[in-house]
Amino acid sequence: MHSQPMTRRRPYHVPVTVKHMNPSDLVDQAIGPHHFRVCVENVNDFVRATGDEADRWEDAAPPGFMATLLFVVASDLLRQLSDRSVIHGEQSFTWHRRIGMESEMDVTGRV
């Protein structure tokens, strides 16, 4: 029996590559939504990496944790720009409520 290497693929992920495009065509384009679960281990790693006090964040993630969610959608955007150099200019986040531990959320980025 031959075993196939295991690959993790998100069932909702559809790779998109657009060659020879003008990056300004991406302005106002939404990337996602992609599903994300806020797990205790990831929040603990973030808190430890930032030097924050762990006991402050037992029930919810710190607001800065939202920055890690950028990586949930960034690969889709960067894939579209694979033949270009990219400079990150600015970012903003919108919170509709605190980020509770084990929360399920959909993450959407907008260029």
Side-chain angles (χ1 to χ4, degrees):
M1 176 200 266
H2 297 283
S3 71
Q4 296 288 333
M6 291 185 61
T7 58
R8 289 183 57 177
R9 290 190 177 241
R10 297 176 285 184
Y12 52 80
H13 180 73
V14 178
V16 176
T17 302
V18 180
K19 297 286 184 183
H20 311 295
M21 67 174 294
N22 183 341
S24 65
D25 293 341
L26 294 172
V27 172
D28 288 329
Q29 177 179 332
I31 308 293
H34 292 299
H35 185 74
F36 183 80
R37 184 175 65 86
V38 179
C39 57
V40 173
E41 296 83 11
N42 289 346
V43 172
N44 288 341
D45 289 345
F46 178 84
V47 169
R48 195 171 21 261
T50 58
D52 205 341
E53 299 173 29
D55 58 344
R56 293 180 58 204
W57 306 109
E58 293 177 354
D59 297 327
F65 184 77
M66 287 297 280
T68 65
L69 301 182
L70 172 66
F71 297 101
V72 174
V73 295
S75 62
D76 288 352
L77 174 62
L78 294 175
R79 193 174 295 107
Q80 293 184 50
L81 297 169
S82 63
D83 63 339
R84 304 284 179 164
S85 295
V86 179
I87 296 175
H88 180 266
E90 66 179 80
Q91 66 188 28
S92 63
F93 299 95
T94 302
W95 288 265
H96 298 283
R97 63 185 181 282
R98 71 186 194 121
I99 308 165
M101 296 294 191
E102 303 302 324
S103 294
E104 304 279 335
M105 60 179 63
D106 291 318
V107 179
T108 302
R110 184 164 304 278
V111 179

